[in-house]
Amino acid sequence: MTATISPDTRAASAAPKPVSRPKVHHERRSARRAGWAMAAPAVLLLLAFLIVPVILGFVLSFTNARLVSPEPTTFTGLDNFVRAFTADPTFLRSLVNTVCFAAVVVPVQAGFGLLLAILVNRKIRGAVAFRVIFFIPVVTSIVVVSILWKFMYQPDGLINSFIDSITFGAWQGTAWLNDPSTALTAIIVLSVWQAVGFHMLIWLSGLQTIPQELYEAARIDGAGTWQQFRHVTWPCLRPTRVFVLITITIAALGLFVQIDVMTQGGPVDATSTLVYHAVRMGYHQQQIGYGSALSLVFFVLVLIVALVQRFLTRDKD
Amino acid sequence: MKRKSLPIMVAAGFAAVLALGGCGRATQESAGAPGEITMWTHSAGNPGELAVYQQIIADFNASQTQYKIVEQNFPQGSYNDAVTAAAASRKLPCLLDMDGPVMPNWAWAGYLQPLGLPDDLIKTLLPTTVGRYKDTVYSAGYWDAALAVFARKSVLDKNAVRIPTVEKPWTLDEFDAAVTKLKANGYATPLDLGAADKGEWWSYAYSPMLQSTGGDLVDRTTMKSADGVLNSPEAVKFFTWFQQAFKNGWADNAGPVGNQRFIDNKVALSYTGVWNAKDALESVGDDLLILPPVDFGKGPKIGGGSWQWGISAGCKNAEGARAYLKFSFQDKYLTAFADSQVVIPSTTAAAAASKYFGDAAPLHPFAVLSQKFALARPATPGYPVISSTFEKAAKDIMSGTDVKPALDTAVQAIDTDIKSQNGYGF
Amino acid sequence: MTIHKGRIDERVLRRRRRVWTYLVLVGLAVFFLFPLVFMFVSSLKPDGRILSDVGGWRAFLPVGDISFDNYAEVFDRVPVGRFLLNSVLVTVAIVAAGLVVNSMAGFAISRLRWTGRGVVLSVVIATLIVPFETIAVPMVYWVSQLPTLLFQNGQLVYDFGWLDTYQVQIVPFIANGFSVFLFTQYFSSIPTALDEAARIDGAGWFTIYRKIAVPLSGPAFATVAILTFLPAWNQYLWPSMVVQDEKLRPVMVGMQYFFQDNTAWGEVMAYTSMITLPVLVVFLAFQRAFVSSVAASGVKE
């Protein structure tokens, strides 16, 4: 994640001028002031509109607050959390589903995105057109996408017709969204479909920072396509790789809209996710205290996963 | 891109935001026009319904100079969100409509004040169009909807299925036999129960069937527990039948929401509401039959209670709001709603004058069904939780879980919720 | 002789590889486009036809009763022009203000040394985790308490509650952890020697930001612009909670107008086709800058 200093700039900073102490002090103070001043608007806004509501939410998670109620709100301590882990099978199932979803989507979407980026990076005519086409699903609202795919997943819908013709009638497909064993897979397919274009572009900007000379050098050394990838492309993509993985992971763990539009957590909780369950309990069932507690569990989970990921990809810098 | 223009852009940006902020707010809070009454409806995107409202408002505003109604409409899907948000910030409008079963929750939460309309007006309205909570009237509606079983006469005759009447509806055994026969004679899924839909539909459509067996959503005498009603032997019997219907392939939850499959004759019997009747009438014509639902044992039941009007607790011009409401309940307006929305008007006079529900009119059976079989959903502030829990349990049962444990879990969820709110004031 | 043959082989190999690449790309293009073709084609059909055609090849073909009726009806049901205008206003404001605010913060975090820098960066990254739905309700409570200025009867007045304004749709979304993070990453890759040279010449930090960092960061700005444009344009939960006046609603809330008891599918398809178009246009305009290559060695003046 650090910069690659090119030979030019290294030469420029080779001969530092001697500098007096008050000047250094002034430098540091001016840097500090400028730093705070420039970061201030963003920090204040984030504090006001993200941190404060999150804190409000956290406080609520230790109460029995209701969305709509004349009854007074009381502190209930850890009751909500105990309830989540012991008396709420839907919550545990949501936890499992969320982790499964992320475990599949992260490698699939990252890998598929990389493949697309490599394909589109080739010097062929129309690469730009393809790049745009692959990005179009990202541009479409996920609500619209969910509605369209819900149509297509119907037992007599497009997906099954397609499968029927591809396999020459051997398999008619199944009721994708109604079968507990296929529902989550169906959601995975459409989620990857919608989001992979975005990660393709991120990989692409990473790919385009790799200097051509490295490839030529490898080719002169007799490296084939796969070896070029392994020894030139892959190592140079390290910062991009970390970024892509973290963004996909966070987005995957926060899966909500598709579930809300298409399956409402069904069938039999097979597609319920943490965020969806938190919204259903907190908002539809009006138990805002419990819903906030579930959100808190979600934050902690994502934090842990992100930290673990960062740790695993940190070294060798 | 960003040299000298940056500071200008910043300044312009913030200035724009401030300016827009100022002019974005309409004159809602101004002390300008006296007697201004805000009114919210859920009818955004429904030009027919809106047209009638605008007519009523125009007529009312023109008929007197003391009050002026200002209307704002919202899309149905996010209407409750908007109301909840407004309540949280104490900016509710004076007049607002609400889906019948939600009213007790809003009344209990302190959003609403008693309706205060004259008794003789209330008495002329269909009972399911009047919202009562703890024996006080909080809301009243211009119409009600009704459910029925749609069928084609030719199909039933061809399959030698008896055509049920309001006096002699199908028994459960008769119904099962009919569906089995229809399935054997060419209908892959002969029954459309509307299971593809989500949300309040589940409680609205399927709890009447449950009530027809003798079960219920909650014990209406105490309103404090669902135990013994939602997981009673009758309820188990109903839900087992419900699960079987899907297992046998009589119905599925696949198709698009709506009545298209019936119109395409892909299903023989469609359990749906009056809002689909006009399209069905247009495509099926005289062959269309509007049949009562099945008698599961205690007489057929259908859902009742549609959108109704109430007055918010903080309304400063409540008298004006009442005047408006009284004005709006004239039969000519009720008939206008019925004609444009194909919904059952709440007075018999308006029904007689409407083009769909008069005695000789094609959709008259709906009015009869509504009068005879409609049962309102339980009037308790705990209803949102009950409905959401019921939906989940029914969906899980439809997908194959064991019936009694699913119902017991639902009962536990409902009871815990009621207890946590001190019985919701009962 | 052998060299000549080798070169021919290489050309054949390259052509075969190109053909394969094209085949794969076209296949993928079909995969990515087919739902949207379905949407667009359906927007031309009446509702009944859409539902009946959904199971076969006809779903992609504009056959049967084709017309632009759905589009006309959309305009009857929904004030499309007004909603588009609102969305454009809100989105442009969020993006423009966001570019300024977030790039400044990114610059400060990546180039300047100041106490608390690490904490701020960690907090910024932590905010990436928060899904909006889970803080929506606390936000509503909070936002309804905020003071605002109003023109009322010819004078500026303090009022409470930001509901029903443009700013409630804009201000909470200007600062964005993701954008700050991206800017921080990008600025870190610009050599610091330029800063040092400019400081020696007596330039203030803001000038350095403005005259050096920003002009070099075209791709980052384009990237962040697109990435903030998309969620801002697609916002629907928040506006449906806090915007009550129809004159201020954005485009996605308009989508819900079609989901009444009888969903008008044809109009839904027409409407979504209409609102996807501006986003596509914006993307097309920016995408070149988005993926333009950065000079990997040395720094351009």
Side-chain angles (χ1 to χ4, degrees):
Chain A
M1 289 216 241
T2 50
T4 49
I5 310 280
S6 72
D8 297 329
T9 54
R10 213 173 269 146
S13 54
K17 290 202 187 128
V19 139
S20 61
R21 217 175 306 148
K23 220 174 184 185
V24 170
H25 196 64
H26 171 77
E27 258 304 299
R28 226 171 280 159
R29 220 170 6 119
S30 130
R32 204 172 337 137
R33 250 185 300 142
W36 274 110
M38 294 184 73
V43 170
L44 285 174
L45 283 171
L46 280 178
L47 242 144
F49 294 105
L50 227 87
I51 312 283
V52 168
V54 165
I55 292 178
L56 269 176
F58 283 12
V59 168
L60 285 174
S61 60
F62 294 99
T63 70
N64 67 350
R66 300 288 297 231
L67 204 52
V68 171
S69 173
E71 302 277 334
T73 308
T74 55
F75 273 99
T76 55
L78 294 175
D79 280 359
N80 287 333
F81 299 97
V82 170
R83 173 180 162 194
F85 282 99
T86 59
D88 193 351
T90 311
F91 167 74
L92 294 170
R93 186 62 202 265
S94 308
L95 193 52
V96 167
N97 289 339
T98 312
V99 168
C100 281
F101 182 80
V104 173
V105 164
V106 170
V108 167
Q109 197 167 306
F112 191 26
L114 180 55
L115 174 66
L116 290 177
I118 292 177
L119 280 173
V120 151
N121 199 27
R122 298 227 176 125
K123 291 188 180 26
I124 51 174
R125 264 184 313 163
V128 174
F130 283 110
R131 194 195 298 163
V132 170
I133 288 178
F134 296 157
F135 195 73
I136 288 181
V138 182
V139 155
T140 322
S141 149
I142 183 72
V143 172
V144 172
V145 166
S146 303
I147 294 175
L148 284 174
W149 280 79
K150 183 157 185 210
F151 252 110
M152 302 193 310
Y153 274 131
Q154 281 167 37
D156 58 351
L158 284 170
I159 305 280
N160 285 344
S161 304
F162 181 67
I163 292 178
D164 195 28
S165 35
I166 288 281
T167 61
F168 300 109
W171 186 37
Q172 261 96 32
T174 165
W176 297 99
L177 294 178
N178 293 329
D179 188 345
S181 49
T182 59
L184 199 58
T185 314
I187 305 252
I188 287 177
V189 169
L190 94 86
S191 304
V192 170
W193 177 87
Q194 202 256 353
V196 73
F198 169 62
H199 293 100
M200 169 194 76
L201 286 185
I202 309 253
W203 282 120
L204 195 56
S205 34
L207 278 177
Q208 296 191 337
T209 61
I210 302 178
Q212 282 297 99
E213 299 93 60
L214 295 176
Y215 284 115
E216 278 165 27
R219 229 169 301 170
I220 289 174
D221 282 350
T225 331
W226 173 246
Q227 274 148 333
Q228 283 177 41
F229 179 78
R230 248 188 72 190
H231 296 282
V232 177
T233 318
W234 189 244
C236 287
L237 282 178
R238 216 187 65 82
T240 322
R241 193 187 331 153
V242 174
F243 180 65
V244 167
L245 283 179
I246 284 207
T247 48
I248 299 185
T249 308
I250 292 181
L253 289 171
L255 178 64
F256 170 75
V257 178
Q258 297 92 307
I259 308 295
D260 191 38
V261 175
M262 297 172 84
T263 60
Q264 296 87 56
V268 202
D269 290 342
T271 58
S272 180
T273 63
L274 276 178
V275 176
Y276 179 74
H277 190 52
V279 171
R280 175 173 49 195
M281 294 312 270
Y283 205 63
H284 300 304
Q285 295 235 355
Q286 302 189 342
Q287 299 169 34
I288 193 75
Y290 187 56
S292 303
L294 296 177
S295 306
L296 180 49
V297 172
F298 173 75
F299 294 151
V300 169
L301 170 73
V302 178
L303 205 56
I304 293 178
V305 169
L307 286 175
V308 165
Q309 241 188 13
R310 219 175 129 88
F311 175 72
L312 286 177
T313 54
R314 175 155 213 67
D315 46 341
K316 312 163 213 151
D317 211 352
Chain B
M1 174 171 149
K2 302 239 179 299
R3 281 163 220 268
K4 280 176 266 187
S5 53
L6 187 59
I8 300 175
M9 261 184 60
V10 175
F14 283 123
V17 169
L18 279 179
L20 288 174
C23 63
R25 180 77 64 80
T27 51
Q28 271 183 16
E29 303 304 315
S30 69
E36 208 174 77
I37 298 177
T38 46
M39 170 179 142
W40 284 8
T41 92
H42 72 288
S43 338
N46 198 336
E49 195 172 308
L50 275 178
V52 182
Y53 278 122
Q54 270 144 16
Q55 182 67 49
I56 302 178
I57 292 173
D59 290 350
F60 178 75
N61 285 344
S63 74
Q64 46 78 49
T65 51
Q66 216 182 343
Y67 304 107
K68 181 163 175 273
I69 304 281
V70 172
E71 174 260 343
Q72 191 58 260
N73 55 72
F74 295 77
Q76 188 173 337
S78 56
Y79 180 67
N80 286 4
D81 291 347
V83 171
T84 309
S89 40
R90 283 176 255 284
K91 288 232 155 86
L92 278 173
C94 248
L95 282 163
L96 64 164
D97 68 349
M98 61 204 101
D99 200 10
V102 162
M103 179 279 290
N105 184 272
W106 288 4
W108 169 77
Y111 294 179
L112 307 172
Q113 53 174 291
L115 197 58
L117 286 182
D119 273 341
D120 48 2
L121 171 60
I122 299 287
K123 266 202 277 270
T124 64
L125 303 175
L126 272 176
T128 48
T129 62
V130 176
R132 283 191 172 82
Y133 167 62
K134 285 190 159 175
D135 294 326
T136 317
V137 173
Y138 280 91
S139 62
Y142 303 127
W143 65 76
D144 200 357
L147 292 169
V149 174
F150 289 34
R152 285 176 165 77
K153 187 167 188 304
S154 53
V155 169
L156 292 189
D157 286 341
K158 195 166 81 164
N159 288 278
V161 175
R162 176 181 78 89
I163 295 177
T165 62
V166 166
E167 291 78 26
K168 204 161 175 289
W170 279 320
T171 61
L172 187 55
D173 292 329
E174 249 191 304
F175 183 70
D176 286 352
V179 177
T180 315
K181 216 186 300 184
L182 287 164
K183 186 165 167 71
N185 288 350
Y187 286 97
T189 44
L191 183 59
D192 184 357
L193 287 174
D197 206 344
K198 64 169 179 153
E200 180 57 24
W201 162 257
W202 280 72
S203 189
Y204 177 68
Y206 306 127
S207 68
M209 293 182 181
L210 171 65
Q211 285 145 6
S212 177
T213 59
D216 206 345
L217 290 168
V218 73
D219 183 350
R220 289 190 201 222
T221 52
T222 63
M223 293 295 199
K224 282 207 172 140
S225 172
D227 198 15
V229 285
L230 187 53
N231 54 0
S232 62
E234 292 86 14
V236 173
K237 197 178 102 176
F238 165 68
F239 276 109
T240 313
W241 174 86
F242 189 70
Q243 192 177 66
Q244 269 310 109
F246 290 95
K247 274 209 190 125
N248 290 345
W250 293 349
D252 64 21
N253 66 340
V257 175
N259 209 20
Q260 191 60 35
R261 290 197 294 172
F262 175 75
I263 292 182
D264 290 342
N265 205 4
K266 293 216 183 95
V267 301
L269 302 171
S270 176
Y271 179 55
T272 183
V274 67
W275 52 86
N276 278 323
K278 195 163 114 179
D279 286 343
L281 204 56
E282 276 165 12
S283 38
V284 179
D286 286 331
D287 202 17
L288 181 65
L289 284 175
I290 295 164
L291 305 172
V294 177
D295 180 356
F296 283 86
K298 301 277 193 315
K301 302 265 187 291
I302 59 171
S306 183
W307 290 85
Q308 298 169 0
W309 283 92
I311 304 178
S312 68
C315 179
K316 292 192 191 71
N317 284 318
E319 277 319 302
R322 290 193 180 98
Y324 166 78
L325 282 178
K326 204 164 134 218
F327 181 87
S328 66
F329 269 97
Q330 296 177 51
D331 283 334
K332 64 178 178 183
Y333 296 130
L334 301 184
T335 309
F337 277 120
D339 287 345
S340 88
Q341 298 307 300
V342 194
V343 283
I344 305 166
S346 44
T347 64
T348 37
S354 75
K355 84 177 152 190
Y356 292 110
F357 301 102
D359 284 337
L363 299 182
H364 181 70
F366 277 108
V368 174
L369 289 175
S370 178
Q371 266 170 342
K372 290 192 108 80
F373 300 136
L375 179 60
R377 285 152 281 184
T380 159
Y383 185 73
V385 173
I386 293 176
S387 172
S388 167
T389 312
F390 177 85
E391 181 189 351
K392 183 169 187 311
K395 275 199 174 135
D396 287 349
I397 289 175
M398 170 183 75
S399 306
T401 15
D402 293 332
V403 174
K404 185 85 173 35
L407 293 177
D408 286 334
T409 311
V411 164
Q412 198 191 33
I414 294 174
D415 284 1
T416 314
D417 179 68
I418 295 178
K419 238 187 301 255
S420 77
Q421 291 302 297
N422 294 329
Y424 282 110
F426 282 108
Chain C
M1 203 45 199
T2 350
I3 300 173
H4 193 60
K5 190 157 173 237
R7 216 174 283 150
I8 291 179
D9 278 342
E10 200 193 283
R11 238 184 304 151
V12 166
L13 217 72
R14 240 187 303 142
R15 184 143 43 98
R16 216 182 303 166
R17 201 174 92 145
R18 210 156 3 120
V19 167
W20 264 116
T21 311
Y22 267 116
L23 272 177
V24 171
L25 280 174
V26 168
L28 286 171
V30 168
F31 172 65
F32 281 103
L33 282 180
F34 81 95
L36 300 165
V37 170
F38 169 58
M39 172 179 89
F40 183 66
V41 164
S42 297
S43 74
L44 302 170
K45 298 182 183 168
D47 293 354
R49 271 241 72 123
I50 298 177
L51 298 174
S52 322
D53 279 353
V54 99
W57 292 109
R58 272 182 318 202
F60 298 117
L61 300 174
V63 294
D65 204 357
I66 296 300
S67 68
F68 281 98
D69 281 350
N70 287 327
Y71 287 90
E73 278 166 44
V74 164
F75 280 97
D76 277 339
R77 204 189 279 262
V78 172
V80 183
R82 182 84 215 185
F83 287 176
L84 276 174
L85 178 67
N86 291 334
S87 280
V88 168
L89 270 171
V90 167
T91 308
V92 167
I94 292 180
V95 172
L99 283 177
V100 171
V101 165
N102 294 319
S103 62
M104 286 205 305
F107 180 79
I109 293 178
S110 71
R111 322 280 287 172
L112 299 171
R113 287 193 162 46
W114 39 287
T115 46
R117 171 181 115 155
V119 172
V120 169
L121 182 59
S122 313
V123 168
V124 160
I125 295 186
T127 63
L128 295 180
I129 298 175
V130 181
F132 180 72
E133 296 84 7
T134 54
I135 53 167
V137 173
M139 276 259 265
V140 172
Y141 285 128
W142 171 227
V143 139
S144 62
Q145 311 300 320
L146 290 173
T148 186
L149 291 175
L150 263 193
F151 259 116
Q152 217 169 60
N153 305 328
Q155 31 177 311
L156 278 182
V157 165
Y158 248 135
D159 189 13
F160 278 87
W162 273 17
L163 292 192
D164 236 12
T165 57
Y166 279 115
Q167 68 242 31
V168 77
Q169 303 180 57
I170 297 173
V171 177
F173 304 102
I174 294 181
N176 180 335
F178 197 62
S179 312
V180 173
F181 182 66
L182 281 177
F183 277 121
T184 311
Q185 290 295 91
Y186 198 84
F187 286 138
S188 306
S189 71
I190 298 181
T192 50
L194 300 166
D195 296 4
E196 289 167 17
R199 286 299 283 170
I200 289 167
D201 285 345
W205 281 110
F206 192 75
T207 321
I208 295 180
Y209 159 75
R210 210 161 41 100
K211 294 217 162 104
I212 299 180
V214 172
L216 288 177
S217 314
F221 274 86
T223 309
V224 171
I226 294 187
L227 294 181
T228 45
F229 183 89
L230 288 176
W233 184 263
N234 286 329
Q235 253 186 14
Y236 91 102
L237 178 59
W238 181 246
S240 58
M241 290 169 82
V242 297
V243 174
Q244 299 152 355
D245 191 344
E246 192 184 50
K247 296 198 280 288
L248 302 176
R249 286 184 196 147
V251 134
M252 287 311 291
V253 176
M255 263 270 282
Q256 299 174 330
Y257 277 49
F258 301 100
F259 292 96
Q260 304 286 324
D261 286 325
N262 293 323
T263 306
W265 286 111
E267 292 177 41
V268 171
M269 300 296 180
Y271 186 72
T272 50
S273 303
M274 279 200 283
I275 63 181
T276 309
L277 216 53
V279 194
L280 257 175
V281 166
V282 165
F283 171 62
L284 282 172
F286 277 90
Q287 60 90 26
R288 199 166 285 279
F290 187 76
V291 260
S292 73
S293 46
V294 178
S297 57
V299 168
K300 293 213 172 90
E301 276 307 331

